[in-house]
Amino acid sequence: MPHEVPKPIGIGRMIDLSFQLYRKHFAKLMSIMLICYGLFYLLQAMTQGQTVQSMFNMEGIVNYSSADAEPLLSEGSHGWVVFLFGLVFLFLTPVAVASVVFLVYHVMKGEEAPSALQLLRMSFKRYGGLLGSSVLFALMMLGFIIAIAIVTMILGMIVAAILGGVGIILVSVGVVFTFYYFVIRFMYFLPVVALQEESVGFGRSWSLTRQSFWRLFGLFLVMMLLIYLFNLVAGFLLALVPMSGIVFALLQMLVNLLTAPILYVVYAVSYFDLRVRDGMGLEEMINRIGPNFMTPPPPPADQ
């Protein structure tokens, strides 16, 4: 039976396909999230205590004071948790994202998706390239932020003198939009590196997104709104149940872990859609990567 040629899909279809993959491979996705982020979220919940719960409780918003907090860890440990947050996302997010890319890749090939540990193992095989390109991406975005801030200061003073407050709002919107434009144009470097197409991937990402910026912007805007609304509603519902601050923070952590994988799945699905739009079918992609790189290791033989 001939292999079906992949076709480009729209925003609605990408979201629908992503949720289907999320439901079907929920256990694998959650395992990846727990392995990569579980410890950090646990420490975060231990330091937040009652503070997070007060954000979703109207009475707490009115009457809350710092004396009401019930952190399990000391106040001085908050800074270490923030530092850990940065390290986790710098060192483990590329692995988590690449693992989801590999999962979607196997599904597109019509194969059974490997286990979470096998997916992570595949990602760590490319860890040097994934981490190095991620650090370069962070530095590049930092450079864009500095450059945009300088231009904003100069342009903002000129526009504010002419248009007043309206001008400042227009400049602020333009600055945010400009930053996200560069983020979207460069952010597909991770799948390129993970699939061994290029060692860095920025140029390929820029090329792939050349005619797709607005579609990708709309896709991730819709997804971020959906995730934000889900987390917000979940937070208010949890706040209606009497519980300690620590338990509330742990449950909120679980909600965050539940919603995190779907964004990674959307990212992976949209990447393969970009490849199809670029004229590369799945078979050609497989041939470029090689027959053995994405094949999970066989299970150990019974003793």
Side-chain angles (χ1 to χ4, degrees), residues 23 47 57 105 109 127 134 159 239 247 302:
R23 290 193 299 269
T47 59
N57 187 305
Y105 176 88
K109 288 174 63 179
Y127 185 69
S134 297
V159 174
V247 173
D302 295 333

Side-chain angles (χ1 to χ4, degrees), residues 278-290:
D278 192 50
M280 179 179 289
L282 184 59
E283 292 295 342
E284 184 181 353
M285 198 183 306
I286 294 171
N287 292 333
R288 283 198 180 187
I289 296 168

Side-chain angles (χ1 to χ4, degrees), residues 85-302:
F85 176 89
L87 290 181
V88 166
F89 275 78
L90 176 62
F91 290 102
L92 292 182
T93 293
V95 174
V97 173
S99 298
V100 176
V101 169
F102 291 152
L103 185 151
V104 175
Y105 176 88
H106 276 279
V107 172
M108 290 182 63
K109 288 174 63 179
E111 299 176 351
E112 182 179 354
S115 68
L117 290 178
Q118 289 173 331
L119 291 168
L120 288 167
R121 185 175 175 181
M122 295 176 192
S123 300
F124 275 109
K125 287 176 65 175
R126 295 288 295 148
Y127 185 69
L130 293 171
L131 179 61
S133 57
S134 297
V135 171
L136 289 176
F137 178 76
L139 293 175
M140 187 165 57
M141 290 301 105
L142 178 61
F144 280 129
I145 291 174
I146 295 174
I148 291 173
I150 295 173
V151 173
T152 301
M153 290 177 58
I154 299 173
L155 187 61
M157 290 186 293
I158 297 174
V159 174
I162 299 174
L163 300 177
V166 176
I168 296 177
I169 294 175
L170 292 175
V171 170
S172 301
V173 172
V175 167
V176 173
F177 178 82
T178 300
F179 176 72
Y180 280 106
Y181 173 82
F182 286 111
V183 170
I184 290 174
R185 293 301 304 274
F186 285 115
M187 72 179 184
Y188 286 95
F189 69 93
L190 274 175
V192 174
V193 175
L195 298 177
Q196 291 187 317
E197 297 179 54
E198 292 184 9
S199 58
V200 178
F202 297 137
R204 193 72 188 117
S205 177
W206 183 269
S207 175
L208 286 171
T209 57
R210 182 176 59 253
Q211 298 179 350
S212 300
F213 169 75
W214 287 109
R215 181 174 62 256
L216 295 171
F217 180 81
L219 171 66
F220 285 101
L221 179 62
V222 170
M223 287 306 305
M224 293 301 293
L225 287 175
L226 289 175
I227 292 174
Y228 173 78
L229 289 175
F230 179 84
N231 288 341
L232 186 65
V233 171
F236 276 111
L237 291 177
L238 289 175
L240 297 177
V241 181
M243 66 183 78
S244 69
I246 294 297
V247 173
F248 179 87
L250 288 172
L251 291 176
Q252 189 66 26
M253 173 207 77
L254 181 60
V255 171
N256 292 336
L257 283 174
L258 288 172
T259 56
I262 186 61
L263 201 58
Y264 291 177
V265 175
V266 171
Y267 174 79
V269 169
S270 63
Y271 168 75
F272 289 111
D273 178 69
L274 289 173
R275 298 314 308 256
V276 173
R277 293 175 185 273
D278 192 50
M280 179 179 289
L282 184 59
E283 292 295 342
E284 184 181 353
M285 198 183 306
I286 294 171
N287 292 333
R288 283 198 180 187
I289 296 168
N292 298 320
F293 176 73
M294 296 288 293
T295 303
D302 295 333

Side-chain angles (χ1 to χ4, degrees), residues 16-146:
D16 180 59
L17 177 58
S18 299
F19 276 105
Q20 290 181 31
L21 292 171
Y22 175 81
R23 290 193 299 269
K24 184 175 182 179
H25 302 283
F26 176 79
K28 292 184 177 71
L29 291 168
M30 283 303 299
S31 297
I32 292 171
M33 295 298 108
L34 285 171
I35 291 172
C36 292
Y37 303 125
L39 177 60
F40 163 73
Y41 276 118
L42 178 62
L43 291 176
Q44 185 184 47
M46 292 167 65
T47 59
Q48 285 177 335
Q50 194 90 6
T51 306
V52 178
Q53 189 174 20
S54 68
M55 295 171 59
F56 297 94
N57 187 305
M58 294 307 297
E59 182 179 356
I61 292 174
V62 175
N63 301 321
Y64 174 76
S65 68
S66 59
D68 298 324
E70 299 178 4
L72 190 59
L73 299 180
S74 64
E75 189 72 23
S77 64
H78 289 199
W80 286 105
V81 173
V82 173
F83 178 72
L84 177 63
F85 176 89
L87 290 181
V88 166
F89 275 78
L90 176 62
F91 290 102
L92 292 182
T93 293
V95 174
V97 173
S99 298
V100 176
V101 169
F102 291 152
L103 185 151
V104 175
Y105 176 88
H106 276 279
V107 172
M108 290 182 63
K109 288 174 63 179
E111 299 176 351
E112 182 179 354
S115 68
L117 290 178
Q118 289 173 331
L119 291 168
L120 288 167
R121 185 175 175 181
M122 295 176 192
S123 300
F124 275 109
K125 287 176 65 175
R126 295 288 295 148
Y127 185 69
L130 293 171
L131 179 61
S133 57
S134 297
V135 171
L136 289 176
F137 178 76
L139 293 175
M140 187 165 57
M141 290 301 105
L142 178 61
F144 280 129
I145 291 174
I146 295 174

